[in-house]
PDB file of all heavy atoms in Angstrom:
ATOM      1  N   ALA B 440     -26.319  24.423 -19.497  1.00  0.00           N
ATOM      2  CA  ALA B 440     -25.302  25.226 -18.831  1.00  0.00           C
ATOM      3  C   ALA B 440     -24.053  25.374 -19.706  1.00  0.00           C
ATOM      4  O   ALA B 440     -23.426  26.423 -19.736  1.00  0.00           O
ATOM      5  CB  ALA B 440     -24.942  24.582 -17.492  1.00  0.00           C
ATOM      6  N   LEU B 441     -23.723  24.292 -20.431  1.00  0.00           N
ATOM      7  CA  LEU B 441     -22.561  24.370 -21.333  1.00  0.00           C
ATOM      8  C   LEU B 441     -22.812  25.411 -22.416  1.00  0.00           C
ATOM      9  O   LEU B 441     -21.924  26.199 -22.755  1.00  0.00           O
ATOM     10  CB  LEU B 441     -22.319  22.994 -21.966  1.00  0.00           C
ATOM     11  CG  LEU B 441     -21.129  22.915 -22.927  1.00  0.00           C
ATOM     12  CD1 LEU B 441     -19.812  23.052 -22.178  1.00  0.00           C
ATOM     13  CD2 LEU B 441     -21.141  21.610 -23.706  1.00  0.00           C
ATOM     14  N   LEU B 442     -24.034  25.425 -22.946  1.00  0.00           N
ATOM     15  CA  LEU B 442     -24.358  26.415 -23.970  1.00  0.00           C
ATOM     16  C   LEU B 442     -24.319  27.821 -23.395  1.00  0.00           C
ATOM     17  O   LEU B 442     -23.885  28.762 -24.083  1.00  0.00           O
ATOM     18  CB  LEU B 442     -25.735  26.118 -24.571  1.00  0.00           C
ATOM     19  CG  LEU B 442     -25.762  24.906 -25.502  1.00  0.00           C
ATOM     20  CD1 LEU B 442     -27.191  24.495 -25.788  1.00  0.00           C
ATOM     21  CD2 LEU B 442     -25.046  25.207 -26.805  1.00  0.00           C
ATOM     22  N   LEU B 443     -24.724  27.967 -22.127  1.00  0.00           N
ATOM     23  CA  LEU B 443     -24.630  29.295 -21.509  1.00  0.00           C
ATOM     24  C   LEU B 443     -23.174  29.751 -21.444  1.00  0.00           C
ATOM     25  O   LEU B 443     -22.860  30.897 -21.746  1.00  0.00           O
ATOM     26  CB  LEU B 443     -25.214  29.283 -20.080  1.00  0.00           C
ATOM     27  CG  LEU B 443     -26.737  29.201 -19.946  1.00  0.00           C
ATOM     28  CD1 LEU B 443     -27.108  29.298 -18.469  1.00  0.00           C
ATOM     29  CD2 LEU B 443     -27.418  30.309 -20.729  1.00  0.00           C
ATOM     30  N   ARG B 444     -22.285  28.836 -21.087  1.00  0.00           N
ATOM     31  CA  ARG B 444     -20.878  29.201 -21.038  1.00  0.00           C
ATOM     32  C   ARG B 444     -20.360  29.545 -22.433  1.00  0.00           C
ATOM     33  O   ARG B 444     -19.524  30.425 -22.596  1.00  0.00           O
ATOM     34  CB  ARG B 444     -20.056  28.074 -20.424  1.00  0.00           C
ATOM     35  CG  ARG B 444     -20.348  27.871 -18.949  1.00  0.00           C
ATOM     36  CD  ARG B 444     -19.631  26.665 -18.406  1.00  0.00           C
ATOM     37  NE  ARG B 444     -18.215  26.858 -18.354  1.00  0.00           N
ATOM     38  CZ  ARG B 444     -17.329  25.870 -18.258  1.00  0.00           C
ATOM     39  NH1 ARG B 444     -17.756  24.636 -18.195  1.00  0.00           N
ATOM     40  NH2 ARG B 444     -16.057  26.105 -18.242  1.00  0.00           N
ATOM     41  N   GLY B 445     -20.857  28.814 -23.408  1.00  0.00           N
ATOM     42  CA  GLY B 445     -20.500  29.126 -24.795  1.00  0.00           C
ATOM     43  C   GLY B 445     -20.969  30.535 -25.177  1.00  0.00           C
ATOM     44  O   GLY B 445     -20.240  31.284 -25.813  1.00  0.00           O
ATOM     45  N   ILE B 446     -22.188  30.890 -24.762  1.00  0.00           N
ATOM     46  CA  ILE B 446     -22.731  32.217 -25.065  1.00  0.00           C
ATOM     47  C   ILE B 446     -21.864  33.263 -24.399  1.00  0.00           C
ATOM     48  O   ILE B 446     -21.545  34.310 -24.978  1.00  0.00           O
ATOM     49  CB  ILE B 446     -24.187  32.321 -24.623  1.00  0.00           C
ATOM     50  CG1 ILE B 446     -25.068  31.432 -25.491  1.00  0.00           C
ATOM     51  CG2 ILE B 446     -24.671  33.765 -24.711  1.00  0.00           C
ATOM     52  CD1 ILE B 446     -26.494  31.299 -24.986  1.00  0.00           C
ATOM     53  N   ALA B 447     -21.489  33.017 -23.129  1.00  0.00           N
ATOM     54  CA  ALA B 447     -20.651  33.993 -22.414  1.00  0.00           C
ATOM     55  C   ALA B 447     -19.349  34.202 -23.142  1.00  0.00           C
ATOM     56  O   ALA B 447     -18.850  35.329 -23.220  1.00  0.00           O
ATOM     57  CB  ALA B 447     -20.408  33.518 -20.985  1.00  0.00           C
ATOM     58  N   ALA B 448     -18.792  33.125 -23.704  1.00  0.00           N
ATOM     59  CA  ALA B 448     -17.467  33.236 -24.318  1.00  0.00           C
ATOM     60  C   ALA B 448     -17.575  33.801 -25.740  1.00  0.00           C
ATOM     61  O   ALA B 448     -16.718  34.596 -26.162  1.00  0.00           O
ATOM     62  CB  ALA B 448     -16.782  31.896 -24.326  1.00  0.00           C
ATOM     63  N   HIS B 449     -18.533  33.377 -26.521  1.00  0.00           N
ATOM     64  CA  HIS B 449     -18.604  33.820 -27.909  1.00  0.00           C
ATOM     65  C   HIS B 449     -20.014  33.579 -28.423  1.00  0.00           C
ATOM     66  O   HIS B 449     -20.320  32.528 -28.960  1.00  0.00           O
ATOM     67  CB  HIS B 449     -17.595  33.056 -28.752  1.00  0.00           C
ATOM     68  CG  HIS B 449     -17.227  33.781 -30.004  1.00  0.00           C
ATOM     69  ND1 HIS B 449     -18.115  33.963 -31.031  1.00  0.00           N
ATOM     70  CD2 HIS B 449     -16.107  34.400 -30.396  1.00  0.00           C
ATOM     71  CE1 HIS B 449     -17.540  34.660 -32.005  1.00  0.00           C
ATOM     72  NE2 HIS B 449     -16.315  34.954 -31.638  1.00  0.00           N
ATOM     73  N   GLU B 450     -20.844  34.576 -28.284  1.00  0.00           N
ATOM     74  CA  GLU B 450     -22.278  34.386 -28.618  1.00  0.00           C
ATOM     75  C   GLU B 450     -22.522  34.070 -30.087  1.00  0.00           C
ATOM     76  O   GLU B 450     -23.305  33.158 -30.375  1.00  0.00           O
ATOM     77  CB  GLU B 450     -23.074  35.607 -28.181  1.00  0.00           C
ATOM     78  CG  GLU B 450     -24.558  35.381 -28.301  1.00  0.00           C
ATOM     79  CD  GLU B 450     -25.376  36.457 -27.621  1.00  0.00           C
ATOM     80  OE1 GLU B 450     -24.817  37.195 -26.802  1.00  0.00           O
ATOM     81  OE2 GLU B 450     -26.572  36.533 -27.935  1.00  0.00           O
ATOM     82  N   PRO B 451     -21.871  34.750 -31.042  1.00  0.00           N
ATOM     83  CA  PRO B 451     -22.162  34.436 -32.448  1.00  0.00           C
ATOM     84  C   PRO B 451     -21.852  32.985 -32.798  1.00  0.00           C
ATOM     85  O   PRO B 451     -22.543  32.370 -33.638  1.00  0.00           O
ATOM     86  CB  PRO B 451     -21.237  35.380 -33.233  1.00  0.00           C
ATOM     87  CG  PRO B 451     -20.965  36.489 -32.299  1.00  0.00           C
ATOM     88  CD  PRO B 451     -20.969  35.919 -30.926  1.00  0.00           C
ATOM     89  N   ARG B 452     -20.847  32.421 -32.160  1.00  0.00           N
ATOM     90  CA  ARG B 452     -20.512  31.007 -32.444  1.00  0.00           C
ATOM     91  C   ARG B 452     -21.655  30.102 -32.036  1.00  0.00           C
ATOM     92  O   ARG B 452     -22.003  29.151 -32.735  1.00  0.00           O
ATOM     93  CB  ARG B 452     -19.213  30.645 -31.717  1.00  0.00           C
ATOM     94  CG  ARG B 452     -18.981  29.199 -31.511  1.00  0.00           C
ATOM     95  CD  ARG B 452     -18.988  28.417 -32.783  1.00  0.00           C
ATOM     96  NE  ARG B 452     -17.732  28.453 -33.496  1.00  0.00           N
ATOM     97  CZ  ARG B 452     -17.572  28.028 -34.735  1.00  0.00           C
ATOM     98  NH1 ARG B 452     -18.625  27.574 -35.414  1.00  0.00           N
ATOM     99  NH2 ARG B 452     -16.409  28.069 -35.339  1.00  0.00           N
TER     100      ARG B 452
END
Side-chain angles (χ1 to χ4, degrees):
Chain B
L441 180 69
L442 287 167
L443 286 185
R444 292 174 68 199
I446 292 172
H449 202 291
E450 188 169 343
R452 160 56 83 192

